[in-house]
Amino acid sequence: MKITKLALHHLSMPLVSPFETSFGRAEERESIIIEASAEGISGLGECVADRDPGYAYETSGTAWLILQEFIAPLIFSAEISSPQDIPELLSPIRGHPMAKAGLEMALWDLTGKMEGVSLQAMLGGKRKTVPVGVSVGLQSCPEELVEVVNAYLADGYQRIKIKIKPGRDVGDTVAVRLAYTDILLQVDANSSYTLDSAQSLLPLDDMDLLLIEQPLAEDDLWDHRTLQSSLKTPLCLDESIVSLRHARQALEMTACRIVNIKAGRVGGLTNAVKIHNLCISKGIPVWCGGMLETGVGRAANLALASLPGFTLPGDISASNRYYRQDITNEIFALNPDSSITVPEGAGLGVSINRDALDKNCIRKVILTAEDYICE
């Protein structure tokens, strides 16, 4: 197929409540919605890069530039036979996996709509529903954290993840575990520790946690290996796994025992599936992380998480966890068993609520192939 038009919508979505991690506090979530058109059909994608370079070096601003100046010319000049062509097609652009992933997602949606096939079927997923949990940001004190966790348990979430950072780790975790002795519980440090300061996490080994997520630096595999050797609780890597190569190296050196797969972080769904397959071959469980996506990215996450290797509940959560009004007409709700139903429609299986999209759009550009023709 030949892509003839790309529409980029830069969104700023107000959150239901502030979300605080070790690298900052957010009251709004930025992203870029991408519409790719060919043969009169449009596909939707979401670039999950946020405003600030806290979680990753990419931002909504850098992604906006990369999409217009570097990705669009390559896309318009290519004859694309499959979304799986995208990683190789965009390989001349070093880095910027979130920008690439957003574009690739749009082409998966476009292909599915053209062929009348769901994204789940194209990726090889099987389950009609996927188990999910909720990610709870830092609160003012352990007592407030317990109250927030209680509210999410009342909503029906059966797996809780709490954010931690130095000085707000063991005390918070103990408070939640003492209040709820039987829940599935895990913690996420978002790279906020050094190997030395991570020694404060050793008491978490007695908390019966599912995992400790990304305690050390995002570019550090070796020290994660050292820390894992001193813990019985599995370490899970998130920010450190930016490619299939990094996943292979992490598993070879036993830097972790679990992998969090985020399509945006690894450059798209094609790469995410490859990492999933590698982990299955090594007997390593995986789960699907979240980036506070709109319904567009949430639909893609659900399709991905329906693959067989995703045996731990994902950070996908219901639409109303983050947004009072999402930008898709389809709203994802939590099932009684703490799962969410995977869309069955062609492509992503979602459509855009144009009024909501326009309400939250802070800038928009429409690009066509003619814009990039050099005379």
Coordinates of all heavy atoms in Angstrom, one line a residue, residues 179-247:
A179 N -2.2 -4.2 55.4 CA -3.6 -4.0 55.3 C -4.3 -5.0 54.4 O -5.4 -5.4 54.6 CB -3.8 -2.6 54.7
Y180 N -3.5 -5.6 53.4 CA -4.1 -6.5 52.5 C -3.1 -7.7 52.3 O -2.2 -7.6 51.4 CB -4.4 -5.8 51.2 CG -5.3 -4.6 51.3 CD1 -4.7 -3.3 51.3 CD2 -6.6 -4.7 51.6 CE1 -5.5 -2.2 51.5 CE2 -7.4 -3.6 51.8 CZ -6.9 -2.4 51.7 OH -7.7 -1.3 51.9
T181 N -3.2 -8.7 53.1 CA -2.2 -9.7 53.2 C -2.2 -10.7 52.0 O -1.2 -11.3 51.7 CB -2.4 -10.6 54.5 OG1 -3.8 -11.1 54.5 CG2 -2.2 -9.7 55.7
D182 N -3.3 -10.7 51.3 CA -3.4 -11.7 50.2 C -3.5 -11.2 48.8 O -3.5 -12.0 47.8 CB -4.7 -12.6 50.4 CG -4.7 -13.3 51.7 OD1 -3.6 -13.7 52.2 OD2 -5.8 -13.5 52.3
I183 N -3.4 -9.9 48.6 CA -3.5 -9.3 47.3 C -2.2 -9.6 46.5 O -1.1 -9.7 47.0 CB -3.9 -7.8 47.3 CG1 -2.7 -7.0 47.9 CG2 -5.2 -7.6 47.9 CD1 -2.9 -5.5 47.7
L184 N -2.4 -9.6 45.1 CA -1.2 -9.6 44.3 C -0.6 -8.2 44.3 O -1.3 -7.2 43.9 CB -1.6 -10.0 42.8 CG -2.2 -11.4 42.7 CD1 -2.7 -11.5 41.2 CD2 -1.3 -12.5 43.1
L185 N 0.7 -8.1 44.7 CA 1.3 -6.8 45.0 C 2.7 -6.7 44.3 O 3.4 -7.7 44.4 CB 1.4 -6.5 46.5 CG 2.0 -5.2 46.9 CD1 1.2 -4.0 46.4 CD2 2.1 -5.2 48.4
Q186 N 3.0 -5.6 43.7 CA 4.3 -5.4 43.1 C 4.7 -3.9 43.3 O 3.8 -3.1 43.5 CB 4.4 -5.8 41.7 CG 3.4 -5.1 40.7 CD 3.3 -5.8 39.4 OE1 2.9 -7.0 39.3 NE2 3.7 -5.1 38.3
V187 N 6.0 -3.6 43.1 CA 6.4 -2.3 43.3 C 7.2 -1.8 42.1 O 7.8 -2.7 41.4 CB 7.3 -2.1 44.6 CG1 6.4 -2.4 45.8 CG2 8.5 -2.9 44.5
D188 N 7.3 -0.5 41.8 CA 8.0 0.0 40.6 C 8.8 1.2 41.0 O 8.2 2.2 41.5 CB 6.9 0.4 39.6 CG 7.6 0.9 38.3 OD1 8.8 0.8 38.2 OD2 6.8 1.4 37.4
A189 N 10.1 1.2 40.8 CA 11.0 2.2 41.2 C 11.3 3.2 40.1 O 11.9 4.3 40.4 CB 12.3 1.6 41.8
N190 N 11.0 2.9 38.9 CA 11.4 3.7 37.7 C 12.8 4.3 37.8 O 13.0 5.5 37.7 CB 10.4 4.9 37.7 CG 9.0 4.5 37.2 OD1 8.0 4.6 37.9 ND2 8.9 4.0 36.0
S191 N 13.8 3.4 38.0 CA 15.2 3.7 37.9 C 15.7 4.7 39.0 O 16.6 5.4 38.7 CB 15.5 4.3 36.5 OG 15.2 3.3 35.5
S192 N 15.1 4.7 40.1 CA 15.4 5.8 41.1 C 16.5 5.4 42.1 O 16.8 6.2 43.0 CB 14.1 6.2 41.9 OG 13.5 5.1 42.5
Y193 N 17.1 4.2 42.0 CA 18.1 3.7 42.9 C 19.4 3.5 42.2 O 19.5 3.3 41.0 CB 17.6 2.4 43.6 CG 16.4 2.5 44.5 CD1 15.1 2.5 44.0 CD2 16.6 2.7 45.9 CE1 14.0 2.6 44.8 CE2 15.5 2.8 46.7 CZ 14.2 2.8 46.1 OH 13.1 2.9 47.0
T194 N 20.5 3.5 43.0 CA 21.8 3.0 42.6 C 22.0 1.7 43.3 O 21.2 1.2 44.1 CB 22.9 4.0 43.1 OG1 22.9 3.9 44.6 CG2 22.7 5.4 42.7
L195 N 23.0 1.0 42.9 CA 23.3 -0.3 43.5 C 23.4 -0.2 45.0 O 23.0 -1.1 45.7 CB 24.5 -1.0 42.8 CG 24.8 -2.4 43.2 CD1 23.6 -3.3 42.9 CD2 26.0 -2.9 42.5
D196 N 24.1 0.8 45.4 CA 24.3 1.0 46.9 C 22.9 1.3 47.6 O 22.6 0.7 48.6 CB 25.3 2.1 47.1 CG 26.7 1.7 46.8 OD1 27.0 0.5 46.8 OD2 27.5 2.6 46.5
S197 N 22.2 2.3 47.1 CA 21.0 2.7 47.7 C 19.9 1.6 47.7 O 19.0 1.6 48.5 CB 20.4 4.0 47.2 OG 20.1 3.9 45.8
A198 N 20.0 0.7 46.7 CA 19.0 -0.3 46.5 C 19.1 -1.4 47.6 O 18.2 -2.2 47.7 CB 19.2 -1.0 45.1
Q199 N 20.2 -1.3 48.4 CA 20.3 -2.2 49.6 C 19.1 -2.0 50.5 O 18.7 -2.9 51.3 CB 21.6 -2.1 50.3 CG 22.8 -2.4 49.4 CD 22.7 -3.7 48.7 OE1 22.6 -4.7 49.3 NE2 22.8 -3.7 47.4
S200 N 18.5 -0.8 50.5 CA 17.4 -0.5 51.3 C 16.2 -1.3 50.9 O 15.2 -1.4 51.7 CB 17.1 1.0 51.3 OG 16.6 1.4 50.0
L201 N 16.2 -1.9 49.7 CA 15.0 -2.7 49.2 C 15.1 -4.1 49.7 O 14.1 -4.8 49.5 CB 15.0 -2.6 47.7 CG 14.9 -1.3 47.0 CD1 14.9 -1.4 45.5 CD2 13.6 -0.6 47.5
L202 N 16.2 -4.6 50.3 CA 16.3 -6.0 50.7 C 15.1 -6.4 51.6 O 14.7 -7.6 51.5 CB 17.6 -6.2 51.3 CG 18.9 -6.0 50.4 CD1 20.1 -6.4 51.2 CD2 18.8 -6.9 49.2
P203 N 14.6 -5.6 52.5 CA 13.5 -6.1 53.3 C 12.2 -6.4 52.5 O 11.3 -7.1 53.0 CB 13.2 -4.9 54.3 CG 14.5 -4.2 54.4 CD 15.1 -4.3 53.0
L204 N 12.1 -5.9 51.3 CA 11.0 -6.2 50.4 C 10.9 -7.7 50.1 O 9.9 -8.2 49.7 CB 11.0 -5.4 49.2 CG 10.9 -3.9 49.3 CD1 10.9 -3.2 47.9 CD2 9.7 -3.5 50.1
D205 N 12.0 -8.4 50.3 CA 12.0 -9.8 50.0 C 11.1 -10.6 50.9 O 10.7 -11.7 50.7 CB 13.5 -10.4 50.2 CG 14.1 -10.9 48.9 OD1 13.4 -10.8 47.9 OD2 15.3 -11.2 49.0
D206 N 10.7 -10.0 52.0 CA 9.8 -10.6 53.0 C 8.3 -10.2 52.8 O 7.4 -10.5 53.6 CB 10.2 -10.3 54.4 CG 11.6 -10.7 54.8 OD1 11.9 -11.8 54.3 OD2 12.3 -10.0 55.5
M207 N 8.0 -9.5 51.7 CA 6.7 -8.9 51.5 C 5.9 -9.7 50.5 O 4.8 -9.3 50.1 CB 6.8 -7.4 51.0 CG 7.4 -6.5 52.0 SD 6.3 -6.2 53.4 CE 7.2 -7.2 54.6
D208 N 6.4 -10.8 50.0 CA 5.6 -11.7 49.1 C 5.1 -10.9 47.9 O 4.0 -10.9 47.5 CB 4.4 -12.4 49.8 CG 3.7 -13.4 49.0 OD1 4.4 -14.0 48.1 OD2 2.5 -13.6 49.2
L209 N 6.1 -10.2 47.2 CA 5.8 -9.4 46.1 C 5.9 -10.3 44.8 O 6.7 -11.2 44.7 CB 6.8 -8.3 46.0 CG 6.8 -7.3 47.1 CD1 7.9 -6.2 46.9 CD2 5.5 -6.6 47.3
L210 N 5.1 -9.9 43.8 CA 5.2 -10.5 42.5 C 6.5 -10.2 41.9 O 7.1 -11.0 41.2 CB 4.0 -10.1 41.6 CG 2.6 -10.6 41.8 CD1 1.7 -9.8 40.9 CD2 2.6 -12.1 41.6
L211 N 7.0 -8.9 42.0 CA 8.2 -8.5 41.4 C 8.6 -7.1 41.9 O 7.7 -6.4 42.5 CB 8.0 -8.4 39.9 CG 6.9 -7.6 39.3 CD1 7.3 -6.2 39.0 CD2 6.3 -8.2 38.0
I212 N 9.8 -6.7 41.7 CA 10.3 -5.4 41.9 C 10.7 -4.9 40.6 O 11.6 -5.4 39.9 CB 11.5 -5.4 42.9 CG1 11.1 -5.9 44.3 CG2 12.1 -3.9 43.0 CD1 12.3 -6.1 45.2
E213 N 10.1 -3.8 40.1 CA 10.3 -3.3 38.8 C 11.3 -2.2 38.7 O 11.3 -1.2 39.4 CB 9.0 -2.8 38.2 CG 9.0 -2.5 36.7 CD 7.6 -2.1 36.2 OE1 6.7 -2.1 37.0 OE2 7.6 -1.7 35.0
Q214 N 12.3 -2.4 37.8 CA 13.3 -1.4 37.4 C 13.8 -0.5 38.5 O 13.7 0.7 38.5 CB 12.7 -0.4 36.3 CG 13.7 0.4 35.6 CD 14.6 -0.4 34.6 OE1 14.1 -1.3 33.9 NE2 15.9 -0.1 34.6
P215 N 14.5 -1.1 39.5 CA 15.1 -0.3 40.5 C 16.3 0.6 40.1 O 16.4 1.7 40.7 CB 15.5 -1.4 41.6 CG 15.7 -2.6 40.8 CD 14.7 -2.6 39.7
L216 N 17.1 0.1 39.2 CA 18.3 0.8 38.9 C 18.2 1.5 37.5 O 17.2 1.5 36.9 CB 19.5 -0.2 38.8 CG 19.6 -1.1 40.1 CD1 20.8 -2.0 39.9 CD2 19.8 -0.2 41.3
A217 N 19.3 2.1 37.1 CA 19.3 3.0 35.9 C 18.8 2.3 34.7 O 19.0 1.1 34.5 CB 20.7 3.6 35.7
E218 N 18.2 3.1 33.8 CA 17.6 2.6 32.6 C 18.6 2.0 31.6 O 18.3 1.1 30.8 CB 16.8 3.7 31.9 CG 17.6 4.8 31.2 CD 18.2 5.8 32.2 OE1 17.8 5.8 33.4 OE2 19.1 6.6 31.7
D219 N 19.9 2.4 31.7 CA 20.9 1.9 30.8 C 21.8 0.9 31.5 O 22.9 0.6 31.0 CB 21.8 3.0 30.2 CG 22.4 3.9 31.3 OD1 22.2 3.6 32.5 OD2 23.3 4.7 30.9
D220 N 21.4 0.3 32.6 CA 22.2 -0.6 33.4 C 21.7 -2.0 33.5 O 20.7 -2.2 34.2 CB 22.4 0.0 34.8 CG 23.5 -0.6 35.6 OD1 23.8 -1.8 35.4 OD2 24.1 0.1 36.5
L221 N 22.3 -2.9 32.8 CA 22.0 -4.3 32.9 C 22.8 -5.0 34.0 O 22.3 -5.8 34.7 CB 22.1 -5.0 31.6 CG 21.1 -4.6 30.5 CD1 21.4 -5.4 29.2 CD2 19.7 -4.7 30.9
W222 N 24.1 -4.7 34.0 CA 25.0 -5.4 34.8 C 24.7 -5.3 36.3 O 24.7 -6.3 37.1 CB 26.5 -5.0 34.6 CG 27.5 -5.8 35.3 CD1 28.1 -5.5 36.5 CD2 27.8 -7.2 35.0 NE1 28.9 -6.6 36.9 CE2 28.7 -7.6 36.0 CE3 27.5 -8.1 34.0 CZ2 29.3 -8.9 36.0 CZ3 28.1 -9.3 34.0 CH2 29.0 -9.7 35.0
D223 N 24.4 -4.1 36.8 CA 24.1 -3.9 38.2 C 22.8 -4.5 38.6 O 22.6 -5.0 39.7 CB 24.1 -2.4 38.6 CG 25.6 -1.9 38.8 OD1 26.5 -2.7 38.7 OD2 25.7 -0.7 38.9
H224 N 21.8 -4.6 37.6 CA 20.6 -5.3 37.9 C 20.9 -6.8 38.1 O 20.3 -7.5 39.0 CB 19.6 -5.2 36.7 CG 18.8 -3.9 36.8 ND1 19.0 -2.8 36.0 CD2 17.7 -3.6 37.7 CE1 18.1 -1.9 36.3 NE2 17.3 -2.3 37.3
R225 N 21.9 -7.3 37.3 CA 22.3 -8.7 37.5 C 22.8 -8.9 39.0 O 22.5 -9.9 39.6 CB 23.3 -9.1 36.5 CG 23.9 -10.5 36.7 CD 25.1 -10.7 35.8 NE 25.6 -12.1 35.9 CZ 26.4 -12.5 36.8 NH1 26.9 -11.7 37.7 NH2 26.8 -13.8 36.8
T226 N 23.7 -8.0 39.4 CA 24.2 -8.1 40.8 C 23.1 -8.0 41.8 O 23.1 -8.8 42.8 CB 25.2 -6.9 41.0 OG1 26.3 -7.0 40.0 CG2 25.9 -7.0 42.4
L227 N 22.2 -7.1 41.6 CA 21.1 -6.9 42.6 C 20.2 -8.1 42.6 O 19.8 -8.6 43.7 CB 20.3 -5.7 42.3 CG 19.2 -5.3 43.3 CD1 19.7 -5.1 44.7 CD2 18.4 -4.1 42.8
Q228 N 19.9 -8.7 41.4 CA 19.0 -9.8 41.4 C 19.6 -11.0 42.1 O 18.9 -11.8 42.7 CB 18.7 -10.2 39.9 CG 17.9 -11.4 39.7 CD 16.4 -11.3 40.2 OE1 15.5 -10.9 39.5 NE2 16.2 -11.6 41.5
S229 N 20.9 -11.2 42.1 CA 21.6 -12.3 42.7 C 21.4 -12.2 44.2 O 21.6 -13.2 44.9 CB 23.0 -12.3 42.3 OG 23.8 -11.2 42.9
S230 N 21.1 -11.0 44.8 CA 20.9 -10.9 46.2 C 19.5 -10.9 46.7 O 19.2 -10.8 47.9 CB 21.6 -9.6 46.7 OG 20.9 -8.5 46.2
L231 N 18.6 -11.1 45.7 CA 17.1 -11.1 46.0 C 16.5 -12.4 45.6 O 16.8 -12.9 44.5 CB 16.4 -9.9 45.3 CG 16.7 -8.5 45.8 CD1 16.2 -7.5 44.7 CD2 16.1 -8.2 47.1
K232 N 15.5 -12.8 46.4 CA 14.7 -14.0 46.0 C 13.5 -13.5 45.2 O 13.0 -14.2 44.3 CB 14.3 -14.8 47.2 CG 13.4 -14.1 48.2 CD 13.1 -14.9 49.4 CE 12.2 -14.2 50.4 NZ 11.9 -15.0 51.6
T233 N 13.1 -12.2 45.4 CA 12.0 -11.6 44.6 C 12.5 -11.4 43.2 O 13.6 -10.8 43.0 CB 11.5 -10.3 45.3 OG1 11.2 -10.6 46.6 CG2 10.4 -9.7 44.5
P234 N 11.7 -11.7 42.2 CA 12.1 -11.4 40.8 C 12.2 -9.9 40.6 O 11.4 -9.2 41.0 CB 11.0 -12.0 40.0 CG 10.3 -13.0 40.9 CD 10.4 -12.5 42.2
L235 N 13.3 -9.6 39.9 CA 13.4 -8.2 39.3 C 12.7 -8.3 38.0 O 12.9 -9.2 37.2 CB 14.9 -7.8 39.2 CG 15.6 -7.4 40.5 CD1 17.0 -6.9 40.1 CD2 14.9 -6.5 41.4
C236 N 12.0 -7.2 37.6 CA 11.4 -7.0 36.3 C 12.1 -5.8 35.7 O 12.2 -4.7 36.3 CB 9.9 -6.8 36.4 SG 9.1 -6.3 34.9
L237 N 12.5 -5.9 34.4 CA 13.1 -4.8 33.7 C 12.0 -4.1 32.8 O 11.3 -4.8 32.1 CB 14.3 -5.2 32.9 CG 15.5 -5.5 33.8 CD1 16.7 -5.8 32.9 CD2 15.8 -4.4 34.8
D238 N 12.0 -2.8 32.8 CA 11.1 -2.0 32.0 C 12.0 -1.1 31.1 O 12.3 -1.4 30.0 CB 10.2 -1.3 32.9 CG 9.3 -0.3 32.2 OD1 9.3 -0.1 30.9 OD2 8.5 0.4 32.8
E239 N 12.4 0.0 31.7 CA 13.1 1.0 30.9 C 14.4 0.5 30.3 O 14.9 1.0 29.2 CB 13.5 2.2 31.8 CG 12.3 3.1 32.2 CD 11.8 2.8 33.5 OE1 11.7 1.5 33.9 OE2 11.3 3.7 34.3
S240 N 15.0 -0.6 30.8 CA 16.2 -1.1 30.3 C 16.0 -1.9 29.0 O 17.0 -2.2 28.3 CB 16.9 -2.0 31.3 OG 17.4 -1.3 32.4
I241 N 14.8 -2.4 28.8 CA 14.5 -3.2 27.6 C 14.0 -2.4 26.5 O 12.8 -2.2 26.3 CB 13.6 -4.4 27.9 CG1 14.1 -5.1 29.2 CG2 13.4 -5.3 26.7 CD1 15.4 -5.8 29.0
V242 N 14.9 -1.9 25.6 CA 14.5 -1.0 24.5 C 14.6 -1.7 23.2 O 14.2 -1.1 22.1 CB 15.3 0.3 24.5 CG1 15.0 1.1 25.8 CG2 16.8 0.0 24.4
S243 N 15.0 -2.9 23.1 CA 15.1 -3.7 21.9 C 15.2 -5.2 22.2 O 15.4 -5.6 23.3 CB 16.4 -3.2 21.1 OG 17.6 -3.7 21.9
L244 N 15.1 -6.0 21.1 CA 15.3 -7.4 21.2 C 16.7 -7.7 21.7 O 16.8 -8.6 22.5 CB 15.0 -8.0 19.9 CG 15.1 -9.6 19.8 CD1 14.1 -10.3 20.7 CD2 15.0 -10.0 18.3
R245 N 17.6 -7.0 21.3 CA 19.0 -7.2 21.7 C 19.2 -7.0 23.2 O 19.8 -7.8 23.9 CB 20.0 -6.3 20.9 CG 21.4 -6.3 21.3 CD 22.3 -5.5 20.4 NE 21.8 -4.2 20.2 CZ 22.2 -3.2 21.0 NH1 23.0 -3.4 22.0 NH2 21.8 -1.9 20.7
H246 N 18.6 -5.9 23.7 CA 18.7 -5.7 25.1 C 18.0 -6.8 25.9 O 18.5 -7.2 27.0 CB 18.1 -4.3 25.5 CG 19.0 -3.2 25.1 ND1 19.0 -2.6 23.8 CD2 19.9 -2.5 25.8 CE1 19.9 -1.6 23.8 NE2 20.5 -1.5 24.9
A247 N 16.9 -7.2 25.4 CA 16.2 -8.3 26.1 C 17.0 -9.6 26.1 O 17.1 -10.2 27.2 CB 14.8 -8.6 25.4

